Amino acid sequence: MKRLLSALAMAVMLASCVPSDEPEEPQEHPVLPQPPEPEPEPELEPEPPRTLEISVTGEFVDLYPGETCTLGYSLGGGAYDPAKEYKVLFSSSKSEVATVDKNGLVTARKAGSTVIRVTEVDSEIYAERKLYVVNLNQVKQAYDKSRKFCCGHTLYYKAVVQSWDFFDDYMYACQVCGSPHTLSFTRKPVTSRDPQAYMHLKYYGHGDNIFVERCPDGDWLWVSNYGTLESGQTNRYADSQVLSRVRFREGVTFLPADADFNFVIPGMKRIIAAYDPDNGSIGIWCRDSGGKAWFYVYDLETIKTAPTENIQLSYSITYGSPAVTQKPIVKAVNLSKLTPLLSFRMPFNNVPQGYDWHHGKIWFFRGDGAEAEEREAGTNKNWATAYLVSTEGKTLVTVSVPWVDDIALLASEGITDLGYFEAEGIKVKDGELYLGFASKDAGSSPERRVNIFKYSLD
């Protein structure tokens, strides 16, 4: 019996060792995460080199021979030690044009340009500023076609250009046109006639002088506003009592009250402005009730951010269609409540055919226009004269443009076959003097052209 049980147990054990047809379940083994790579030690940023920096300080100025100005310097940078006494030297690249002494006092000698350098002796670092000595003798020179900057371009409206301004790519030309009286602003490329865009300002004034302020939100026209109908005229406006800042908007027509920003000097009229971007200042020419001409200089950003108030104009104006006579109330900055950087009487009361305020000088342009037959009859109306005026209200030099009376020359250059050539506008930009002239041809509907010539101040 024992043997039988033993045999059965053995059989059961052997049977359990027979391979099964069912696959074995794999055993689960947990996968352990790999240890993170050790982060590399951050490389230390190299310490920037400690440098000394120097710059020229003082306003940008153009000098007339014999005038002086003082330039300063400023030291800074990581290597600057305020406790250290530094030695600096001033020098002039052309001492025949202007000299400079050890204290930065510049003395103008003769017309041209020079570079004033200030050097820190130990490090030999330096800064420079270009300085011009001016006397307007360029204007006396004979005509040279190489001076043509923008000539013979016709404008859409049949009216001569009154004033203009330009940048590297575009120029703006202001005309008096239309009925009722309108200042038309044409925007076009500097080097070609087309394409053109237009904006219209009704009853603003005569457009004697404009400048354009280029901003991130567009180009802004600075123009006289709230003009009055001249006595005995039916469509001629002048004596504007407001200076307005208007953003150029293509295809738009504005009335006086539509201007974006306004500025008033109570008691003054025929207000017109020019801008010196290097110094950030605006120069305003105007006349008082007795016809005396004045000049005021303000910091541009200061007057743009000054508070406005409701101001009743000093003098009644006649404007509109049908015309009304009243003293309008205008929301404006009262410039008489601000302290000007400069203010002085002009040496003459003549109305400009354009002026510029640049580097401490007033570049003033006068002239007239006439048909050829009037000039040939001896009236000699067609003349053009440039003036240089100091900030003391002194006329430094007066120079006439000699070639504007040469009718044959103007016809051969395709400028005018009539002889009409009227001084209209003057600008100084980047060492160049620009003179503008309006011209037209004979015929029942003559074309009106804008012509700009340039002269180097070097």
Side-chain angles (χ1 to χ4, degrees):
M1 185 66 177
K2 285 184 179 179
R3 289 180 179 174
L4 178 60
L5 291 173
S6 215
L8 289 172
M10 181 63 71
V12 171
M13 184 179 69
L14 291 174
S16 68
C17 293
V18 176
S20 170
D21 292 337
E22 295 295 325
E24 292 186 6
E25 290 292 331
Q27 294 185 351
E28 295 288 338
H29 295 286
V31 179
L32 298 176
Q34 294 295 319
E37 293 285 337
E39 291 187 8
E41 290 293 327
E43 294 185 10
L44 294 177
E45 291 282 340
E47 189 174 341
R50 292 163 58 84
T51 59
L52 185 67
E53 299 171 358
I54 191 168
S55 59
V56 180
T57 60
E59 285 201 341
F60 288 84
V61 293
D62 294 329
L63 298 177
Y64 187 70
E67 288 187 328
T68 62
C69 74
T70 300
L71 296 177
Y73 65 90
S74 176
L75 288 167
Y80 174 64
D81 180 0
K84 180 180 175 180
E85 187 173 335
Y86 292 90
K87 183 179 180 181
V88 299
L89 291 177
F90 284 91
S91 61
S92 171
S93 65
K94 294 181 182 176
S95 57
E96 69 274 19
V97 172
T99 58
V100 60
D101 70 10
K102 63 181 182 180
N103 298 314
L105 177 67
V106 180
T107 302
R109 300 298 184 192
K110 71 172 189 177
S113 69
T114 184
V115 175
I116 303 299
R117 175 181 288 190
V118 56
T119 304
E120 197 281 317
V121 175
D122 292 335
S123 64
E124 296 185 342
I125 65 164
Y126 63 86
E128 294 179 335
R129 177 174 295 182
K130 194 169 187 178
L131 184 142
Y132 292 92
V133 178
V134 293
N135 64 5
L136 287 181
N137 278 345
Q138 307 94 315
V139 175
K140 294 179 181 179
Q141 297 167 4
Y143 173 81
D144 185 335
K145 65 175 59 182
S146 67
R147 293 197 187 96
K148 283 185 175 182
F149 174 69
C150 170
C151 288
H153 292 177
T154 56
L155 300 174
Y156 180 78
Y157 292 99
K158 304 296 183 185
V160 297
V161 64
Q162 295 293 329
S163 50
W164 46 270
D165 198 1
F166 70 88
F167 299 95
D168 293 335
D169 46 359
Y170 278 94
M171 75 170 295
Y172 289 83
C174 174
Q175 299 167 276
V176 175
C177 57
S179 183
H181 175 102
T182 300
L183 292 184
S184 173
F185 284 86
T186 297
R187 180 181 187 268
K188 75 173 192 66
V190 168
T191 56
S192 63
R193 180 191 180 279
D194 295 312
Q196 296 187 9
Y198 309 97
M199 183 177 184
H200 310 288
L201 306 178
K202 285 187 177 181
Y203 315 120
Y204 272 55
H206 198 63
D208 300 295
N209 205 72
I210 65 162
F211 76 86
V212 181
E213 179 192 5
R214 177 150 284 183
C215 298
D217 59 348
D219 288 347
W220 292 77
L221 312 171
W222 287 75
V223 58
S224 53
N225 191 1
Y226 284 89
T228 185
L229 188 64
E230 290 190 84
S231 177
Q233 300 291 324
T234 59
N235 196 40
R236 181 182 172 93
Y237 283 66
D239 286 343
S240 303
Q241 296 179 61
V242 177
L243 175 65
S244 290
R245 179 176 180 257
V246 180
R247 185 167 62 84
F248 181 81
R249 299 165 173 89
E250 182 178 351
V252 170
T253 297
F254 267 15
L255 293 173
D258 297 323
D260 299 277
F261 301 96
N262 299 303
F263 307 87
V264 172
I265 305 177
M268 296 295 176
K269 53 188 174 182
R270 202 144 193 163
I271 297 177
I272 47 180
Y275 177 46
D276 181 356
D278 290 331
N279 290 314
S281 60
I282 179 172
I284 299 175
W285 181 96
C286 53
R287 274 175 153 180
D288 61 22
S289 59
K292 296 182 179 66
W294 294 80
F295 202 82
Y296 295 85
V297 179
Y298 296 90
D299 178 78
L300 183 71
E301 292 305 316
T302 297
I303 70 170
K304 284 169 58 176
T305 56
T308 59
E309 59 185 84
N310 290 325
I311 302 172
Q312 186 168 44
L313 299 186
S314 302
Y315 311 103
S316 295
I317 64 173
T318 300
Y319 71 107
S321 182
V324 296
T325 300
Q326 59 181 11
K327 286 186 180 179
I329 294 175
V330 181
K331 186 177 182 181
V333 173
N334 186 344
L335 293 178
S336 68
K337 294 185 176 180
L338 303 179
T339 301
L341 302 175
L342 293 167
S343 63
F344 52 90
R345 271 283 312 276
M346 285 290 290
F348 43 76
N349 300 320
N350 307 89
V351 175
Q353 292 292 88
Y355 77 92
D356 204 8
W357 164 246
H358 181 81
H359 290 188
K361 294 287 182 291
I362 302 170
W363 306 72
F364 200 91
F365 204 30
R366 293 181 59 214
D368 207 340
E371 318 306 321
E373 58 270 19
E374 290 179 315
R375 294 198 301 104
E376 289 171 351
T379 59
N380 196 29
K381 280 189 176 181
N382 198 8
W383 50 274
T385 305
Y387 303 77
L388 200 60
V389 179
S390 74
T391 53
E392 289 77 34
K394 176 184 177 183
T395 302
L396 298 172
V397 63
T398 302
V399 178
S400 292
V401 185
W403 50 269
V404 299
D405 282 331
D406 190 337
I407 300 175
L409 171 67
L410 298 177
S412 67
E413 288 294 311
I415 295 172
T416 174
D417 64 5
L418 182 64
Y420 188 98
F421 200 52
E422 183 176 5
E424 297 284 8
I426 183 171
K427 301 286 181 187
V428 180
K429 295 176 183 280
D430 300 324
E432 302 279 356
L433 171 66
Y434 296 86
L435 299 180
F437 295 86
S439 66
K440 63 182 179 180
D441 286 339
S444 58
S445 182
E447 293 285 356
R448 269 68 163 177
R449 297 189 178 94
V450 54
N451 309 278
I452 301 174
F453 302 85
K454 68 177 182 178
Y455 298 78
S456 175
L457 296 180
D458 246 333

